[in-house]
Amino acid sequence: MESIISGILVSAVTSGAVIIIAAIGEILNEQAGVLNLGLEGIMAMGAVTAIIVVNGITPNAYLGLLAASLVGVLMGAIFAFGTVTFKANQVLCGLAYTFLGIGLAGQIGGSVAGQPAMARFEQIRLPFLSTIPGVGDILFNHNILVYFAYLLLPAVSTYILFITRHGINIRAVGENPAAADASGVPVDRIRFFYTSVGGALAGMAGAYLTLGLTPAWTEGVTGGRGWIAIALVIFSGWKPFYVLIGALLFGAITSIGYMAQIHGWSIPSSFLAMLPYLATILLMVVPILVRGGDQHKRLVIGPSASGQPYYRE
Amino acid sequence: MIESLVSSLGLQWQLEQRTDVSPWRGAAFKILAILLALAISGIAIQVSGLSFPAMLNKVVTSTFGTDYGRQQLGILGTPLILTGMAVIIGQRMRLFNIGVEGQLFMGAWAGALIGLHVDGPILLIMPAMFIAAALAGAIWAYFPTILRIKAGISEILTTLLLNFVARHWVFYWTFGPWRDTFVANLSASERIPYELPTIYGSMHIGIFIALLIPVVLYLALERTVWGYEVSTIGDNPRAGVFAGMPATRQMLIVMLISGAIAGLAGVIEVTGTVHRLSSSISQGYGFLGVMVGILAEGSPIALVPSGLLLAVIFNAGIVLKTQGLSFIAVLALTGLILFLAAIGEVAAKYRRVRVIEDASEDEAREHSTRLVCKPSADGNPERTMERYSDGESYHL
């Protein structure tokens, strides 16, 4: 029983990391007022880029990661070009990106489909910490991207968003772009920049999928994780550290499914496969239940101008 | 440091709304978006070593030149028009139903449930299947709508996540209890004996249903009090509420109708095309419905041509399988069209003006406007703004 629980926890940590990386990217661009529903597509492109670089050019997981993030930046920048520069409808562009990314990744990934990754992120056992009985193996024996997702990324993004003056500017742009503009904050530039950053992180999340978690490319390898990341942004109340809780809960529920299959519990696998999606919907409801209070307060509050194009009057 | 990096991304111009946009301008930009997307993918195909003209030729001849191709157009067009309608009606209330795919699956499942387990005359069973499908689709749309109304949770995410649940639900039945063990390598139920009559080869009367529903909804939206309330609330929710209109109830009704239409699309696939409940009963029709709805710009009438256009693109994917293009590449093409169309939508409504931050006096004068008062026929002065450079005027 103990091995089952620690197995669930380990896989919760690893599968949650994908969601965290993508979700924190989404928090950054939503705080700046750009809703990017195309994470799924960017993740797919990142995933396929990483494995093509690793299997086709050089077996170095870090170069794969770099290439995936570059593709992510590029896609984020094109998204920003459409939604920030041209002010196109963000929801439509996001959907378009989902189709575009999944379709393009499927087409160019045909040659590497089903192949295992030639290089993957090795597990790094943190000295001292990993010897702590009980939690050592669960928390401190993972690949580098897991540490990045759980420690560095939330810390840095929280610092930038909530501690620096620049972060106030970002949130002002997402909350009231007209006021930000009037006080001299470059609205479009900030939006452009953070949409690209969000794209880069989504690309990295994709690379982690094919070089860490799975580690192989198949069509549909993203399996809705991009959408789940966007849902967890709502759960988190647009705060990076709360994403960790959501991602861990999500990861635990997902891995219960895996464990059930491995240990041969008699639940149809289709029902287990539904769990993550249902759990994500539940997670979106939780903050509302927690917040309680009157009808008005219970509504999900995010950056007011997220999803709204800004036109200077 | 970041700030300086951010400000180096210089953007020197901004957009200004056009005062009058004809619908033709919007349509022209949509067509332009499609052509541009085709050109981009043509170049990509050419670069990757395949021949784009040969592919185009193959698509056109096999889609329009053969009986099979034309039938295929009708068969594919049916679910696409319906899913497009499901998306459009939601958008009237500013609700984005991306769960059409899942609602379609649930409708197909509910239809199959009756078709597989109830024996009776077709004239009784067929309507029962359709009603069950509409109900199942509506129920699948009900939960996200309630979450949206009661808790403000984005219906975009909840409807989308429920797609995966619906897919796995149908997987369960087609791989498990309902699996046709006679045809071993098929993940589908047994053949369902209740079939829609065919009119042209394998093309069935589902196309009439797909043409009828938009007409009915068009009349309901344009000619009834209900439709008036829906468009008022959709245009301005606060105004609707102040006028005493039941905004949340209309939201719910609109989404239930949207889900029901999606469910019908599912049962039409079961009874008309596939004749089984298969785990691939929808090949992304729900998602393509979003495309259809956008290209139709929310008009139930423009829905038919844009549904058929998507059918052509979709059919191209099937035809080109033999030419080294995987079917999923079609998804990329539709994504590209959608992205460009979304940009085109804005480009049609706005004009680009330069930001004059460090402009010289002459330049500033060229872009600036002056107030002009002219006497008009009824005696009241007519006030307009006029641009110095070209004398173009704006009404105040």
Side-chain angles (χ1 to χ4, degrees):
Chain A
M1 191 62 202
E2 198 181 313
S3 74
I4 294 180
I5 289 174
S6 78
I8 287 178
L9 290 176
V10 168
S11 95
V13 171
T14 50
S15 59
V18 185
I19 311 283
I20 294 173
I21 299 174
I24 289 182
E26 181 73 15
I27 286 181
L28 286 170
N29 50 252
E30 280 193 33
Q31 285 280 17
V34 179
L35 172 70
N36 184 354
L37 292 180
L39 284 195
E40 183 87 3
I42 303 181
M43 267 169 92
M45 282 302 286
V48 81
T49 309
I51 198 147
I52 284 177
V53 166
V54 164
N55 284 15
I57 300 172
T58 167
N60 182 331
Y62 293 95
L63 282 180
L65 181 69
L66 181 70
S69 355
L70 287 179
V71 166
V73 169
L74 185 69
M75 288 187 76
I78 296 174
F79 189 84
F81 184 70
T83 56
V84 178
T85 313
F86 271 98
K87 332 257 178 220
N89 183 319
Q90 296 180 8
V91 172
L92 290 188
C93 286
L95 280 177
Y97 249 54
T98 308
F99 299 159
L100 184 62
I102 293 179
L104 203 57
Q107 172 66 21
I108 61 182
S111 58
V112 287
Q115 286 176 16
M118 300 290 214
R120 52 190 74 164
F121 295 106
E122 299 301 331
Q123 264 145 355
I124 299 171
R125 185 175 279 276
L126 292 191
F128 309 118
L129 289 173
S130 59
T131 55
I132 300 171
V135 296
D137 264 349
I138 296 170
L139 294 179
F140 302 109
N141 183 19
H142 289 288
N143 69 50
I144 190 158
L145 277 179
V146 174
Y147 301 124
F148 173 73
Y150 283 90
L151 301 171
L152 188 65
L153 189 57
V156 170
S157 54
T158 305
Y159 175 76
I160 292 178
L161 274 176
F162 297 102
I163 304 203
T164 63
R165 188 178 177 80
H166 178 64
I168 295 177
N169 286 349
I170 299 173
R171 287 181 291 137
V173 167
E175 196 63 40
N176 189 341
D181 193 18
S183 58
V185 179
V187 175
D188 279 4
R189 286 168 198 174
I190 284 190
R191 287 189 165 186
F192 204 105
F193 182 79
Y194 282 100
T195 309
S196 311
V197 172
L201 287 169
M204 285 173 83
Y208 174 57
L209 260 182
T210 42
L211 303 183
L213 193 64
T214 321
W217 162 263
T218 46
E219 217 174 276
V221 72
T222 46
R225 284 186 177 87
W227 292 102
I228 287 165
I230 300 169
L232 286 190
V233 169
I234 296 176
F235 166 80
S236 76
W238 289 265
K239 293 183 180 68
F241 272 107
Y242 289 94
V243 166
L244 304 194
I245 304 170
L248 279 175
L249 284 173
F250 163 82
I253 292 165
T254 313
S255 48
I256 288 173
Y258 293 139
M259 290 300 146
Q261 275 173 342
I262 293 167
H263 294 272
W265 299 346
S266 60
I267 306 168
S269 62
S270 294
F271 291 148
L272 293 171
M274 287 177 198
L275 275 179
Y277 309 107
L278 290 172
T280 308
I281 295 177
L282 264 182
L283 283 182
M284 282 196 284
V285 183
V286 167
I288 291 138
L289 299 178
V290 171
R291 221 172 278 140
D294 60 297
Q295 175 78 20
H296 198 70
K297 265 191 190 157
R298 276 192 292 144
L299 296 181
V300 177
I301 309 293
S304 310
S306 178
Q308 306 292 328
Y310 169 61
Y311 296 100
R312 190 180 271 182
E313 294 293 325
Chain B
M1 185 203 70
I2 296 176
E3 200 79 67
S4 67
L5 190 55
V6 166
S7 56
S8 65
L9 300 163
L11 303 167
Q12 286 302 312
W13 45 270
Q14 62 188 50
L15 299 167
E16 182 184 272
Q17 193 153 17
R18 282 175 188 274
T19 39
D20 51 337
V21 185
S22 77
W24 294 112
R25 198 178 152 79
F29 271 80
K30 293 257 152 66
I31 293 168
L32 204 66
I34 294 168
L35 292 179
L36 193 59
L38 277 177
I40 293 174
S41 26
I43 292 167
I45 286 169
Q46 212 70 33
V47 165
S48 66
L50 302 163
S51 164
F52 184 61
M55 281 185 174
L56 213 55
N57 186 33
K58 167 114 187 170
V59 168
V60 171
T61 50
S62 57
T63 308
F64 299 102
T66 62
D67 270 345
Y68 178 78
R70 287 189 290 263
Q71 290 162 15
Q72 199 65 11
L73 224 52
I75 291 171
L76 290 171
T78 303
L80 289 172
I81 292 171
L82 287 172
T83 52
M85 190 65 233
V87 171
I88 282 182
I89 188 152
Q91 284 200 305
R92 284 280 168 126
M93 287 293 268
R94 294 195 190 176
L95 291 167
F96 221 125
N97 181 6
I98 331 186
V100 175
E101 181 84 359
Q103 291 143 17
L104 190 156
F105 266 104
M106 293 315 279
W109 175 81
L113 177 72
I114 295 198
L116 286 169
H117 295 295
V118 185
D119 284 329
I122 185 165
L123 284 176
L124 241 135
I125 302 295
M126 189 65 90
M129 285 171 79
F130 272 64
I131 290 169
L135 274 177
I139 290 170
W140 212 240
Y142 174 80
F143 297 106
T145 317
I146 284 299
L147 282 178
R148 164 70 197 265
I149 291 171
K150 297 280 182 209
I153 293 176
S154 158
E155 77 286 355
I156 299 177
L157 289 170
T158 42
T159 52
L160 189 112
L161 290 168
L162 283 178
N163 286 341
F164 292 97
V165 178
R167 258 192 112 85
H168 285 298
W169 175 252
V170 170
F171 275 2
Y172 168 70
W173 292 95
T174 53
F175 279 102
W178 291 355
R179 182 163 190 173
D180 187 351
T181 43
F182 189 71
V183 191
N185 60 352
L186 195 72
S187 67
S189 74
E190 285 169 24
R191 201 175 165 89
I192 295 169
Y194 309 100
E195 294 176 8
L196 288 178
T198 55
I199 40 170
Y200 170 40
S202 54
M203 199 174 129
H204 50 83
I205 61 163
I207 187 79
F208 295 131
I209 303 171
L211 294 176
L212 185 68
I213 287 178
V215 173
V216 171
L217 281 172
Y218 174 78
L219 292 176
L221 284 167
E222 303 293 329
R223 298 270 186 275
T224 65
V225 177
W226 172 76
Y228 176 71
E229 289 200 357
V230 165
S231 29
T232 308
I233 300 165
D235 286 345
N236 188 340
R238 285 171 60 90
V241 172
F242 279 127
M245 294 176 182
T248 51
R249 201 177 73 201
Q250 298 293 28
M251 258 179 162
L252 191 61
I253 292 173
V254 159
M255 279 297 271
L256 291 180
I257 293 175
S258 173
I261 297 171
L264 287 179
V267 77
I268 290 174
E269 283 305 289
V270 168
T271 53
T273 310
V274 185
H275 304 300
R276 298 167 188 273
L277 179 71
S278 131
S279 54
S280 58
I281 190 87
S282 165
Q283 299 161 343
Y285 298 139
F287 298 113
L288 295 173
V290 176
M291 271 291 299
V292 177
I294 298 309
L295 288 181
E297 253 177 52
S299 144
I301 303 302
L303 196 64
V304 176
S306 73
L308 290 177
L309 175 74
L310 257 284
V312 173
I313 296 177
F314 194 92
N315 195 39
I318 301 174
V319 171
L320 292 177
K321 264 182 191 169
T322 51
Q323 307 259 318
L325 205 66
S326 74
F327 179 71
I328 202 159
V330 171
L331 200 62
L333 175 64
T334 53
L336 192 58
I337 294 177
L338 187 55
F339 187 66
L340 294 173
I343 293 177
E345 196 178 35
V346 182
K349 286 188 195 131
Y350 292 84
R351 72 173 101 237
R352 209 180 66 159
V353 291
R354 266 190 61 203
V355 182
I356 6 178
E357 269 170 52
D358 310 314
S360 68
E361 209 170 305
D362 285 347
E363 237 180 322
R365 178 186 292 272
E366 191 189 318
H367 286 274
S368 61
T369 49
R370 61 179 165 191
L371 184 65
V372 182
C373 294
K374 287 179 192 149
S376 68
D378 59 359
N380 294 321
E382 190 189 341
R383 300 194 302 154
T384 52
M385 295 296 283
E386 205 174 84
R387 193 146 63 193
Y388 271 105
S389 52
D390 51 8
E392 188 167 351
S393 60
Y394 306 89
H395 282 278
L396 285 185

